[in-house]
Each structure stands twice: as structure tokens, then as C-alpha cells.
Amino acid sequence: MSMIRTENICKNFGNLQVLKDVSLTVEPKEVVCIIGPSGAGKSTYLRTLNHLEKINNGKIYIEDKLLDHYENGERKFKLPAHERQQALLDVGMVFQRFNLFPHRTVIENVMIAPINVRKVSKEAAHEKAVDLLNRVGLGDKLNVYPAQLSGGQQQRVAIARALAMEPKIMLFDEPTSALDPELVGEVLSVMKKLAEDGMTMVVVTHEMGFAREVADRVIFMADGKIEEEGTPQQIFQQPKSDRLKQFLKSVISA
């Protein structure tokens, strides 16, 4: 059983075609890193997986369950709302911006979704939140507010918050791009530990070192489509397409 499968995903914003026939399968416990220039469609693709963007064409499967099928903007299949919600609860997402509730403490930020969405008891949610915040190295920050944290710490809270929903898949949309350079490492180390623990992950990233070290597979997107894919060794040491060679030259020499 695959965790994510997309077939010929297309997405338009007006006359601009942002995704062009993007087909990708992600297996259980696989870490897939998506790299590419700005405007390649990487973040948009990630957002189609959890319904933050509606597709114009193609099919999206989560754990082999068809969630969406569109042809020329017309929906050809609609999963019942309850089943759709349950499937999407298995997909956690961490964004560039942390989007924490500023008026709630760190532990309250992590507890709120399990209590209100999963209907977990307050006691169980608290216990889980303490465990997760310890895992991301913030066990001493339970009762502080987001404004008292660094950007890297806020992003680690955001990761704990996503994990509190017990997702089977984690999507990361350039999770370090809003951070100062010296704070990037602390977030990447949490993500590496998640990968080691067997979490299925799709990561849009500009961190080539992370992609090289942690990914099972690297996807290179350009101009709305998958230009090339392979192991980190294939992508970084034996790139085939001129577009990928040009991209790597620009980011690695930068």
C-alpha cells in the first residue's frame, strides 16, 4: 500500500498552469525531498495533497483511498465528507510560518487540536503534548508563550503540534526558510529524528545537505513538472538533465 499517490495532477491559477501532469507515489516510511527553483510548483503540489488547493485535473490517493478525481475542472468523484476528513487527519503539515496561537502557551498550542478535532481527553492530550515537546527539545518551555521563543523553537512547537494529531504522513513546506541561518540546524535535527523513527515524509526544501543526507528519494521540479527523480546520489552526483545541472550549480555554488 502506498501512502500517497498522485496521477497527472494539474493546477491552474487563472491562465497560469502551475502544475503539469505531476505523478508521484510515496511508500510507507519513505522520505521524499522535493527541490527546485522558486515558482516550480513545489509548495502548490504539497498543498494539493491536503486540500489546501483544489486541482483541475488528476487523481489523489491517500493510503490507496481515492480522495479526488478531476477532469478539466469538473469533479468526477467525491468521497463522503466524513471519510475525506478522516483520511486528511492522517496528513500532518508544517508550514514556512509557524502560525501558533500567540495568546496560548506552548503546551496549549499542542493540545488544542487533539482535544477539539480528535476528541481526546484533556488529560491524554496533556500527557501526549509533554512527551512530544520533550522529543523536540522543548520540555522546559511548556508554559511560555510563542513570542518568548526563537523562530527555531516556534517551528519545533509547530512540528510537535502537527505530530499531536498522530498523522501517518508529514508534509513539510520549506520549514526552515523563514528562520535565521543559525536556527536552521535545530529544526532539521528534529526532522532527521522523525525520519529515523520511520515517519513517512514529503519535504519541500532548499536545504540540499538535508536532502542529500536524509532523503530516500529526491524529486527535482521545474516549470510545474517533475523534471528528474532518483536517489540523492543520482540527483546530486549524476544529474541527467541540463535544467537540474544548472539548478545544482546555482544553489551549491551560492
Side-chain angles (χ1 to χ4, degrees), residues 126-163:
H126 185 276
E127 184 179 340
K128 179 80 174 176
V130 170
D131 175 56
L132 287 169
L133 287 164
N134 278 317
R135 276 178 67 187
V136 300
L138 293 172
D140 60 339
K141 304 288 186 185
L142 305 184
N143 297 308
V144 307
Y145 289 88
Q148 298 168 272
L149 301 176
S150 70
Q153 289 171 327
Q154 290 187 56
Q155 191 62 294
R156 284 187 279 154
V157 174
I159 292 172
R161 179 182 59 184
L163 292 173

Side-chain angles (χ1 to χ4, degrees), residues 34-44 46 93-98 155 171-179 187-188 191 202-207:
I34 303 178
I35 64 172
S38 296
K42 307 182 300 295
S43 294
T44 300
L46 215 61
M93 187 159 183
V94 176
F95 300 86
Q96 297 177 31
R97 297 286 169 185
F98 327 121
Q155 191 62 294
L171 309 177
F172 292 88
D173 185 11
E174 298 185 19
T176 60
S177 66
L179 301 178
V187 173
L188 293 181
M191 293 170 63
V202 183
V203 184
V204 170
T205 185
H206 291 300
E207 301 293 335

